[in-house]
Amino acid sequence: MTLILRTLTRRQPQSHFNRYINMASNDGAVIVVMGVSGAGKTTIGRRLEKEMQYKYLDADDFHSELNKEKMRMGIPLTDEDRMPWLKALRDVINEYLDNKKGLILGCSALKNQYREMLRSGYPAYKLGTYASPVNFILLDAPAEVLSVRVKARAAEGKHYMPASLLQSQIDLLQVDHCEGILKVDATLIPQTIVNTILNMLHFQGCFHHDCIEFH
């Protein structure tokens, strides 16, 4: 174990994977499965829930009825619309961390400022450091693949967000490499995606019982 940790410290930049590692299920940590609509957040999140024995929550369930209605009408949400939603998610994250329980959250988390709000569910978090037990995994897929998925889902009546809003989400997605967000190919079959994520988390030390901050 010591050898692995030394390797990580030597090979990874300070900002990699939030610089904060604490993922044993009985210690409490948060995995945010992020990406635009159609990336597969719910599918992958639920599979991870079974594999990791963490609780899975869908961030869409925390939207107000007003937000949901706007999306049904094809109206993109503003930052002002999203703020109460993000605060509610932050509070849920805080509750899970406070109770030392593992959480998997399926959430678009499109902009850095949204992710910073979620990271702040860890009370000691300092903005801009990315040193938080709230970690992000981006499900990445080409726009044409996402479009097919979203249209199929809308046709089946499985989600309130119409396909017309997909481009607005793609345009909003911002990921800075210094955040240490792990990226996974979302065109792979679900179990392969899950296995890839689990391997990534294991390599990053995410099943250690210690809480380690890189320097």
Side-chain angles (χ1 to χ4, degrees):
M1 189 69 69
T2 302
L3 177 60
I4 294 175
L5 293 177
R6 285 176 179 170
T7 302
L8 285 172
T9 304
R10 184 171 59 250
R11 295 173 61 186
Q12 302 299 337
Q14 185 181 11
S15 61
H16 191 76
F17 205 59
N18 298 344
R19 286 174 290 176
Y20 188 102
I21 294 175
N22 178 22
M23 293 287 291
S25 60
N26 62 346
D27 287 342
V30 177
I31 298 290
V32 179
V33 181
M34 61 171 286
V36 302
S37 186
K41 299 184 292 293
T42 300
T43 298
I44 300 307
R46 287 176 175 165
R47 285 179 178 246
L48 285 172
E49 178 181 43
K50 294 179 180 179
E51 295 278 357
M52 300 177 69
Q53 300 300 303
Y54 282 22
K55 175 65 176 178
Y56 173 73
L57 294 177
D58 191 328
D60 286 344
D61 295 336
F62 292 81
H63 272 300
S64 67
E65 286 303 317
L66 180 60
N67 279 2
K68 291 178 182 179
E69 186 57 30
K70 287 186 71 170
M71 287 186 278
R72 288 190 189 98
M73 296 171 63
I75 302 173
L77 298 181
T78 65
D79 286 351
E80 184 178 358
D81 293 328
R82 287 187 174 93
M83 194 51 58
W85 171 66
L86 290 166
K87 288 180 178 178
L89 295 174
R90 177 199 60 191
D91 292 345
V92 169
I93 287 172
N94 177 261
E95 178 184 348
Y96 272 79
L97 292 176
D98 189 53
N99 291 315
K100 301 186 182 301
K101 294 181 179 179
L103 172 66
I104 297 167
L105 178 67
C107 179
S108 53
L110 299 173
K111 295 171 68 173
N112 178 277
Q113 68 186 82
Y114 304 164
R115 295 188 290 275
E116 286 288 78
M117 177 69 76
L118 300 182
R119 290 185 184 104
S120 68
Y122 174 53
Y125 180 65
K126 295 180 181 180
L127 292 177
T129 64
Y130 309 133
S132 170
V134 182
N135 303 287
F136 295 84
I137 295 176
L138 172 64
L139 299 182
D140 187 48
E144 55 269 24
V145 172
L146 297 167
S147 180
V148 169
R149 292 179 179 178
V150 171
K151 288 177 180 177
R153 188 174 65 182
E156 295 171 2
K158 291 184 176 180
H159 200 274
Y160 50 78
M161 198 192 89
S164 61
L165 286 181
L166 175 60
Q167 189 59 50
S168 68
Q169 288 201 343
I170 293 174
D171 293 342
L172 205 60
L173 179 62
Q174 303 169 352
V175 175
D176 192 323
H177 75 278
C178 70
E179 292 183 66
I181 294 173
L182 299 179
K183 184 185 294 187
V184 180
D185 182 355
T187 66
L188 300 173
I189 63 173
Q191 193 56 49
T192 299
I193 294 173
V194 168
N195 291 342
T196 300
I197 290 172
L198 292 174
N199 287 334
M200 283 179 167
L201 298 181
H202 184 73
F203 178 75
Q204 298 299 334
C206 297
F207 299 119
H208 302 336
H209 288 262
D210 299 324
C211 173
I212 300 167
E213 186 171 350
F214 291 136
H215 299 285

